[in-house]
Amino acid sequence: MRPLLHPSLVNGRSGDPALYVETLFEKRAVLFDLGDISNLSPRKIQRLEHVFVSHAHIDHFIGFDRLLRLLVGREKTIKLYGPKGFIEHVHHKLQGYRWNLVDRYVSDLVFVVTEIDSFFTTDTARFRLKNAFSTEAIGSSSSIEGVLHSEPTFRVSTTILEHRTLCLAFAIEEAAHVNVWKTRLTEMGLPVGPWLHELKRAVIENRPGDHLIRIGARPTSPDMRELPLDILRSVLTVTPGQKVAYVTDAADTLANREAIIRLAQNADLLFIEAAFAQADTALAAERAHLTTAAAGSLAREARARRVEPFHFSPRYSGQEACLLDEVMTAFAGRDAEGAGS
Ligand SMILES: [Zn+2]
Ligand SMILES: [Zn+2]
């Protein structure tokens, strides 16, 4: 099964954080962090529908202006997510410009902005071009239990990290692929029909083995019968969906470690900051960032299949290979001294 999600770092491992995630079958994309995005083509930017921002430090949010510039004049709704205070940041960005001629635009550009506080409760506001991007409060919700956005093909969850300000980390998970073996249906004497959708949904929703599925060629068939999920599993093949986690910026604290490991558990791909070299652990602590060794060990503890470190500090310009090596050493569980001998 080809993976649906195709993530790529817009500015490599050392530039401003921004992870563009393309979806294979649909002409839309998701962005994690809004650092400088001048490397993204207008066509790619116009595909964005959801943008998740870890926090509003300038290297994670300066790309908002380019997003805005390219989308003004288009009929478009963008959903933005960020930590508490984010609505205010978006408001100030938008109010940095004058919008007195907006009545001349035919199409409306809408930003729907949701911010998450440390109890996972959310506030949402809307900003419309045709309303000169004034703040329109939409409402708040009680705990979202970590799931920011969910739709049939994928969902995005979050956790909250400490970076001397609230900082969000994200995981995007593709729904499991469930396929029906037509030959097995025939062997079991079962008809095709809408009941197969119910069966697929029951599997994706992890229903118990004794969960009963109503079977029939049509919902009104006179010969409708019921079988438990366990018996019906043999007509299906289930391929788990791909999981990609995105973690930056975070102090190396116990609470952050636990939160990161939980979020990135069994990720196929973990993008994680490794701002400082292992030798600069004290500096990393002072700046509330992770080191290469911390990034590698977190990826290992989360049982990620692959780790992609990024957000290398510019102080290590030209030393990317060394930093990468430190991450991979920790990821493999070797200690740095032993690896060299
Ligand atoms: Zn930061
Ligand atoms: Zn940063």
Side-chain angles (χ1 to χ4, degrees):
M1 184 66 68
R2 288 159 79 195
L4 179 75
L5 309 170
H6 291 258
S8 63
L9 287 166
V10 175
N11 302 303
R13 299 193 198 277
S14 298
D16 275 7
L19 181 72
Y20 188 83
V21 184
E22 230 159 338
T23 54
L24 189 62
F25 304 112
E26 301 167 74
K27 290 213 179 312
R28 57 202 194 118
V30 170
L31 188 67
F32 293 103
D33 267 343
L34 250 180
D36 180 5
I37 51 168
S38 37
N39 283 339
L40 276 181
S41 67
R43 196 172 46 90
K44 283 193 161 184
I45 291 172
Q46 282 149 11
R47 281 185 187 170
L48 289 171
E49 286 185 359
H50 298 90
V51 178
F52 300 86
V53 175
S54 61
H55 62 307
H57 279 161
I58 190 164
D59 50 332
H60 298 254
F61 195 42
I62 198 162
F64 181 81
D65 280 25
R66 180 162 163 81
L67 180 78
L68 176 63
R69 184 71 191 90
L70 283 168
L71 297 181
V72 161
R74 292 181 172 264
E75 188 71 37
K76 180 92 182 164
T77 297
I78 292 263
K79 292 192 172 159
L80 286 164
Y81 302 82
K84 188 164 177 59
F86 190 56
I87 291 173
E88 197 64 8
H89 286 294
V90 174
H91 162 79
H92 286 293
K93 277 271 191 196
L94 291 166
Q95 293 312 317
Y97 302 100
R98 180 153 304 285
W99 302 103
N100 60 313
L101 301 176
V102 288
D103 51 349
R104 300 184 185 188
Y105 283 101
V106 190
S107 17
D108 207 0
L109 169 63
V110 183
F111 294 103
V112 178
V113 185
T114 298
E115 61 177 42
I116 299 100
D117 72 10
S118 44
F119 302 102
F120 288 97
T121 61
T122 66
D123 266 318
T124 301
R126 186 173 56 192
F127 300 88
R128 291 181 295 130
L129 173 72
K130 287 191 172 179
N131 192 21
F133 290 124
S134 302
T135 309
E136 301 168 31
I138 290 191
S140 43
S141 82
S142 51
S143 181
I144 51 164
E145 291 179 359
V147 177
L148 278 182
H149 174 74
S150 184
E151 59 178 88
T153 42
F154 70 87
R155 68 174 198 166
V156 176
S157 48
T158 190
T159 196
I160 295 159
L161 303 176
E162 158 57 25
H163 172 52
R164 270 186 238 128
T165 179
L166 285 189
C167 185
L168 303 180
F170 307 102
I172 180 166
E173 285 168 86
E174 184 191 358
H177 303 277
V178 183
N179 290 307
V180 177
W181 288 79
K182 294 271 163 57
T183 47
R184 290 200 193 150
L185 273 184
T186 317
E187 281 163 22
M188 289 176 74
L190 299 171
V192 290
W195 70 276
L196 289 167
H197 295 297
E198 297 305 316
L199 175 61
K200 286 182 178 185
R201 190 179 314 149
V203 169
I204 287 170
E205 289 173 356
N206 265 327
R207 298 285 169 159
D210 58 1
H211 177 77
L212 291 176
I213 304 283
R214 282 170 63 78
I215 301 167
R218 292 184 314 278
T220 50
S221 301
D223 56 346
M224 285 294 276
R225 57 188 169 127
E226 290 184 333
L227 280 175
L229 189 54
D230 264 350
I231 305 252
L232 294 168
R233 271 187 211 280
S234 64
V235 307
L236 300 174
T237 51
V238 181
T239 319
Q242 194 193 6
K243 176 175 177 179
V244 178
Y246 177 87
V247 177
T248 194
D249 301 354
D252 191 356
T253 64
L254 192 61
N256 276 355
R257 281 188 164 254
E258 284 173 3
I260 292 167
I261 291 167
R262 211 177 314 123
L263 178 85
Q265 194 68 195
N266 298 318
D268 295 279
L269 199 47
L270 167 60
F271 289 86
I272 185 165
E273 73 143 324
F276 290 93
Q278 193 170 1
D280 293 324
T281 303
L283 196 55
E286 194 187 305
R287 306 272 169 88
H289 275 286
L290 298 176
T291 62
T292 49
S297 69
L298 282 163
R300 179 181 169 78
E301 285 181 55
R303 297 179 183 277
R305 284 179 53 202
R306 224 172 91 197
V307 59
E308 291 288 352
F310 71 107
H311 208 355
F312 292 164
S313 160
R315 66 172 47 228
Y316 306 110
S317 170
Q319 301 172 51
E320 272 201 11
C322 294
L323 294 180
L324 193 55
D325 198 51
E326 288 188 359
V327 174
M328 294 310 166
T329 299
F331 182 49
R334 302 188 302 260
D335 70 64
E337 263 90 297
S341 60

